[in-house]
PDB file of all heavy atoms in Angstrom:
ATOM      1  N   ARG E 396     -83.890  31.786 -12.198  1.00  0.00           N
ATOM      2  CA  ARG E 396     -84.886  31.005 -12.919  1.00  0.00           C
ATOM      3  C   ARG E 396     -84.245  29.909 -13.773  1.00  0.00           C
ATOM      4  O   ARG E 396     -84.805  28.849 -13.959  1.00  0.00           O
ATOM      5  CB  ARG E 396     -85.710  31.944 -13.779  1.00  0.00           C
ATOM      6  CG  ARG E 396     -86.869  31.296 -14.435  1.00  0.00           C
ATOM      7  CD  ARG E 396     -87.668  32.359 -15.177  1.00  0.00           C
ATOM      8  NE  ARG E 396     -88.800  31.777 -15.836  1.00  0.00           N
ATOM      9  CZ  ARG E 396     -90.029  31.785 -15.356  1.00  0.00           C
ATOM     10  NH1 ARG E 396     -90.272  32.366 -14.213  1.00  0.00           N
ATOM     11  NH2 ARG E 396     -91.015  31.229 -16.023  1.00  0.00           N
ATOM     12  N   GLY E 397     -83.058  30.117 -14.287  1.00  0.00           N
ATOM     13  CA  GLY E 397     -82.421  29.150 -15.162  1.00  0.00           C
ATOM     14  C   GLY E 397     -81.823  27.957 -14.430  1.00  0.00           C
ATOM     15  O   GLY E 397     -81.401  27.008 -15.055  1.00  0.00           O
ATOM     16  N   GLU E 398     -81.814  27.956 -13.117  1.00  0.00           N
ATOM     17  CA  GLU E 398     -81.195  26.862 -12.368  1.00  0.00           C
ATOM     18  C   GLU E 398     -82.180  25.758 -11.995  1.00  0.00           C
ATOM     19  O   GLU E 398     -81.787  24.725 -11.508  1.00  0.00           O
ATOM     20  CB  GLU E 398     -80.544  27.397 -11.096  1.00  0.00           C
ATOM     21  CG  GLU E 398     -79.341  28.259 -11.361  1.00  0.00           C
ATOM     22  CD  GLU E 398     -78.646  28.650 -10.087  1.00  0.00           C
ATOM     23  OE1 GLU E 398     -78.930  28.036  -9.041  1.00  0.00           O
ATOM     24  OE2 GLU E 398     -77.830  29.567 -10.123  1.00  0.00           O
ATOM     25  N   ILE E 399     -83.463  25.931 -12.221  1.00  0.00           N
ATOM     26  CA  ILE E 399     -84.460  24.931 -11.831  1.00  0.00           C
ATOM     27  C   ILE E 399     -84.591  23.909 -12.950  1.00  0.00           C
ATOM     28  O   ILE E 399     -84.786  24.261 -14.111  1.00  0.00           O
ATOM     29  CB  ILE E 399     -85.821  25.600 -11.547  1.00  0.00           C
ATOM     30  CG1 ILE E 399     -85.668  26.588 -10.404  1.00  0.00           C
ATOM     31  CG2 ILE E 399     -86.872  24.541 -11.238  1.00  0.00           C
ATOM     32  CD1 ILE E 399     -86.887  27.419 -10.156  1.00  0.00           C
ATOM     33  N   ILE E 400     -84.460  22.654 -12.579  1.00  0.00           N
ATOM     34  CA  ILE E 400     -84.583  21.563 -13.541  1.00  0.00           C
ATOM     35  C   ILE E 400     -85.829  20.772 -13.182  1.00  0.00           C
ATOM     36  O   ILE E 400     -85.987  20.309 -12.054  1.00  0.00           O
ATOM     37  CB  ILE E 400     -83.345  20.643 -13.508  1.00  0.00           C
ATOM     38  CG1 ILE E 400     -82.100  21.445 -13.878  1.00  0.00           C
ATOM     39  CG2 ILE E 400     -83.526  19.465 -14.444  1.00  0.00           C
ATOM     40  CD1 ILE E 400     -80.826  20.659 -13.734  1.00  0.00           C
ATOM     41  N   ASP E 401     -86.726  20.608 -14.158  1.00  0.00           N
ATOM     42  CA  ASP E 401     -87.948  19.857 -13.938  1.00  0.00           C
ATOM     43  C   ASP E 401     -87.838  18.566 -14.738  1.00  0.00           C
ATOM     44  O   ASP E 401     -87.551  18.589 -15.939  1.00  0.00           O
ATOM     45  CB  ASP E 401     -89.160  20.673 -14.394  1.00  0.00           C
ATOM     46  CG  ASP E 401     -90.466  20.009 -14.000  1.00  0.00           C
ATOM     47  OD1 ASP E 401     -90.426  19.155 -13.092  1.00  0.00           O
ATOM     48  OD2 ASP E 401     -91.506  20.345 -14.588  1.00  0.00           O
ATOM     49  N   ALA E 402     -88.034  17.443 -14.059  1.00  0.00           N
ATOM     50  CA  ALA E 402     -87.916  16.162 -14.741  1.00  0.00           C
ATOM     51  C   ALA E 402     -88.852  15.157 -14.086  1.00  0.00           C
ATOM     52  O   ALA E 402     -89.323  15.346 -12.963  1.00  0.00           O
ATOM     53  CB  ALA E 402     -86.491  15.652 -14.673  1.00  0.00           C
ATOM     54  N   GLU E 403     -89.146  14.097 -14.809  1.00  0.00           N
ATOM     55  CA  GLU E 403     -89.969  13.025 -14.278  1.00  0.00           C
ATOM     56  C   GLU E 403     -89.067  11.819 -14.035  1.00  0.00           C
ATOM     57  O   GLU E 403     -88.310  11.413 -14.906  1.00  0.00           O
ATOM     58  CB  GLU E 403     -91.056  12.658 -15.295  1.00  0.00           C
ATOM     59  CG  GLU E 403     -91.922  11.507 -14.841  1.00  0.00           C
ATOM     60  CD  GLU E 403     -92.940  11.117 -15.904  1.00  0.00           C
ATOM     61  OE1 GLU E 403     -93.276  11.952 -16.755  1.00  0.00           O
ATOM     62  OE2 GLU E 403     -93.375   9.969 -15.867  1.00  0.00           O
ATOM     63  N   TYR E 404     -89.138  11.277 -12.862  1.00  0.00           N
ATOM     64  CA  TYR E 404     -88.293  10.142 -12.506  1.00  0.00           C
ATOM     65  C   TYR E 404     -89.165   8.920 -12.284  1.00  0.00           C
ATOM     66  O   TYR E 404     -90.245   9.003 -11.692  1.00  0.00           O
ATOM     67  CB  TYR E 404     -87.515  10.441 -11.211  1.00  0.00           C
ATOM     68  CG  TYR E 404     -86.554  11.590 -11.341  1.00  0.00           C
ATOM     69  CD1 TYR E 404     -86.900  12.863 -10.890  1.00  0.00           C
ATOM     70  CD2 TYR E 404     -85.313  11.404 -11.904  1.00  0.00           C
ATOM     71  CE1 TYR E 404     -86.025  13.913 -11.008  1.00  0.00           C
ATOM     72  CE2 TYR E 404     -84.422  12.448 -12.027  1.00  0.00           C
ATOM     73  CZ  TYR E 404     -84.783  13.705 -11.578  1.00  0.00           C
ATOM     74  OH  TYR E 404     -83.917  14.742 -11.698  1.00  0.00           O
ATOM     75  N   ARG E 405     -88.720   7.774 -12.740  1.00  0.00           N
ATOM     76  CA  ARG E 405     -89.404   6.512 -12.445  1.00  0.00           C
ATOM     77  C   ARG E 405     -88.356   5.414 -12.361  1.00  0.00           C
ATOM     78  O   ARG E 405     -87.306   5.470 -12.995  1.00  0.00           O
ATOM     79  CB  ARG E 405     -90.465   6.186 -13.474  1.00  0.00           C
ATOM     80  CG  ARG E 405     -89.935   6.008 -14.855  1.00  0.00           C
ATOM     81  CD  ARG E 405     -91.039   5.721 -15.829  1.00  0.00           C
ATOM     82  NE  ARG E 405     -90.486   5.775 -17.172  1.00  0.00           N
ATOM     83  CZ  ARG E 405     -91.187   5.815 -18.239  1.00  0.00           C
ATOM     84  NH1 ARG E 405     -92.498   5.817 -18.164  1.00  0.00           N
ATOM     85  NH2 ARG E 405     -90.600   5.836 -19.415  1.00  0.00           N
ATOM     86  N   ILE E 406     -88.665   4.398 -11.599  1.00  0.00           N
ATOM     87  CA  ILE E 406     -87.748   3.286 -11.390  1.00  0.00           C
ATOM     88  C   ILE E 406     -88.092   2.195 -12.395  1.00  0.00           C
ATOM     89  O   ILE E 406     -89.236   1.766 -12.503  1.00  0.00           O
ATOM     90  CB  ILE E 406     -87.857   2.756  -9.951  1.00  0.00           C
ATOM     91  CG1 ILE E 406     -87.490   3.861  -8.972  1.00  0.00           C
ATOM     92  CG2 ILE E 406     -86.980   1.534  -9.766  1.00  0.00           C
ATOM     93  CD1 ILE E 406     -87.718   3.504  -7.538  1.00  0.00           C
ATOM     94  N   ILE E 407     -87.086   1.730 -13.093  1.00  0.00           N
ATOM     95  CA  ILE E 407     -87.271   0.650 -14.066  1.00  0.00           C
ATOM     96  C   ILE E 407     -86.552  -0.564 -13.516  1.00  0.00           C
ATOM     97  O   ILE E 407     -85.343  -0.528 -13.320  1.00  0.00           O
ATOM     98  CB  ILE E 407     -86.695   1.037 -15.439  1.00  0.00           C
ATOM     99  CG1 ILE E 407     -87.393   2.279 -15.968  1.00  0.00           C
ATOM    100  CG2 ILE E 407     -86.816  -0.127 -16.411  1.00  0.00           C
ATOM    101  CD1 ILE E 407     -86.808   2.803 -17.235  1.00  0.00           C
ATOM    102  N   GLU E 408     -87.287  -1.593 -13.260  1.00  0.00           N
ATOM    103  CA  GLU E 408     -86.696  -2.826 -12.753  1.00  0.00           C
ATOM    104  C   GLU E 408     -86.399  -3.760 -13.922  1.00  0.00           C
ATOM    105  O   GLU E 408     -87.042  -3.717 -14.965  1.00  0.00           O
ATOM    106  CB  GLU E 408     -87.643  -3.487 -11.761  1.00  0.00           C
ATOM    107  CG  GLU E 408     -87.862  -2.638 -10.523  1.00  0.00           C
ATOM    108  CD  GLU E 408     -88.750  -3.344  -9.521  1.00  0.00           C
ATOM    109  OE1 GLU E 408     -88.999  -4.552  -9.665  1.00  0.00           O
ATOM    110  OE2 GLU E 408     -89.176  -2.669  -8.584  1.00  0.00           O
TER     111      GLU E 408
END
Side-chain angles (χ1 to χ4, degrees):
R396 187 176 180 99
E398 292 186 15
I399 299 173
I400 299 174
D401 188 19
E403 178 183 337
Y404 296 99
R405 62 181 171 193
I406 299 173
I407 300 174
E408 296 183 13

